[in-house]
Amino acid sequence: MKVNAKSRIPLLAATGLGLAITGTALVGTGIPSNPAQALVVYDPTNYSQNLLTAARTLQTVNNQIRSLQNEARSLLNEAQNLKTIGFPELQALTQTLQQIDGLMGQAQGVRFQVSTLNQQFRQLYPMGGGGLSLNAQVRAARSRLDNEMSAFEHTMTVQAQVVENVQSDTAALAALVDRSQSAEGALQAAQATNQLLALTAKQQFQIQQLLAAQYRADALARASRAQAASDAAAAATKFLGDGTGYTPN
């Protein structure tokens, strides 16, 4: 099919117009002058998973903080339980016991010594010393009487010292009870209890020493009566002789 020159002109024009439009379209759809922004995509499943992870992490941190707080509190309690408590009354209690011991050592005649007690007792209470002269018997009786009076005086001295110690023990007891009630830890409470027991033991020691002095005085008094009875029997026997009647020459 032949196309003449005249018919070609409109065709070329149309073709050129089409190419121009196409080129304009291509130019319009090319790389834009401003870069395109990225779109944010919301994923509910991933968001909830991240939120749950953050909550668990926060719970773990809270548990660790609470554990550290408990450990710190435990250390504070241990430190509180290890606090010590003073015992200034100990020296006073020891001194009072030393005073009583000193008084017990002042006993005259028959002393509180096992090694020398038997010898001293036999010298004062020979029992059956009828062979002594009258003057020797009088001196021995006088010595026993002095020893007995000294024992009673010694007992009363110990009693007076114990009574004086009771006043100081009252003040010590009040101080110990106050510290016991204000004890902050287990160690202080135990020490306060031990201090109260120490005061109790000290008072028991005083009672024992007082009883020892009292029993010593009573024992010497009874021994003196027994010795007097023995001397009287010996004197009566000596006066009566062998029991043979008198026969004049």
Side-chain angles (χ1 to χ4, degrees):
M1 179 177 179
K2 295 181 179 180
V3 179
N4 55 19
K6 292 181 179 181
S7 61
R8 289 178 181 177
I9 294 173
L11 180 60
L12 292 175
T15 303
L17 180 61
L19 290 175
I21 296 171
T22 303
T24 303
L26 291 175
V27 172
T29 60
I31 299 174
S33 58
N34 295 326
Q37 295 181 355
L39 297 177
V40 178
V41 179
Y42 174 74
D43 186 356
T45 303
N46 189 23
Y47 177 77
S48 60
Q49 185 66 31
N50 292 337
L51 184 62
L52 181 60
T53 301
R56 291 177 178 175
T57 303
L58 180 60
Q59 183 66 28
T60 301
V61 172
N62 289 335
N63 291 336
Q64 292 177 352
I65 293 175
R66 190 175 296 109
S67 177
L68 292 175
Q69 290 176 345
N70 292 334
E71 290 180 2
R73 189 177 296 108
S74 177
L75 291 175
L76 290 176
N77 292 334
E78 291 180 2
Q80 195 76 9
N81 287 332
L82 293 177
K83 284 185 177 180
T84 59
I85 186 172
F87 191 15
E89 292 81 8
L90 178 60
Q91 184 177 2
L93 296 181
T94 304
Q95 289 178 352
T96 54
L97 286 178
Q98 291 175 351
Q99 291 174 355
I100 298 295
D101 291 338
L103 291 177
M104 297 297 285
Q106 295 177 6
Q108 300 296 325
V110 180
R111 299 177 180 271
F112 292 100
Q113 295 177 356
V114 178
S115 59
T116 60
L117 186 142
N118 291 333
Q119 181 181 358
Q120 294 172 352
F121 190 86
R122 289 173 182 174
Q123 289 177 355
L124 290 173
Y125 308 98
M127 297 299 294
L132 298 177
S133 63
L134 180 60
N135 291 334
Q137 291 181 4
V138 172
R139 288 194 299 269
R142 183 64 183 178
S143 177
R144 288 191 295 270
L145 179 60
D146 292 341
N147 186 63
E148 186 177 349
M149 294 300 296
S150 176
F152 284 119
E153 181 182 3
H154 175 260
T155 301
M156 295 181 66
T157 303
V158 175
Q159 291 174 349
Q161 184 63 56
V162 171
V163 171
E164 290 180 1
N165 293 342
V166 170
Q167 298 178 357
S168 60
D169 290 346
T170 302
L173 178 61
L176 294 178
V177 171
D178 182 66
R179 281 200 294 272
S180 176
Q181 292 178 347
S182 60
E184 297 179 357
L187 181 58
Q188 287 190 354
Q191 288 181 327
T193 302
N194 292 336
Q195 292 170 8
L196 290 171
L197 293 176
L199 178 60
T200 303
K202 179 253 185 182
Q203 293 175 341
Q204 291 178 350
F205 290 154
Q206 287 186 151
I207 294 174
Q208 290 177 353
Q209 291 171 326
L210 178 59
L211 291 177
Q214 181 66 49
Y215 292 155
R216 171 178 173 272
D218 293 342
L220 293 180
R222 293 179 181 180
S224 295
R225 290 195 294 269
Q227 183 65 42
S230 176
D231 291 344
T237 301
K238 184 177 181 179
F239 176 77
L240 295 176
D242 56 2
T244 303
Y246 172 75
T247 302
N249 293 329

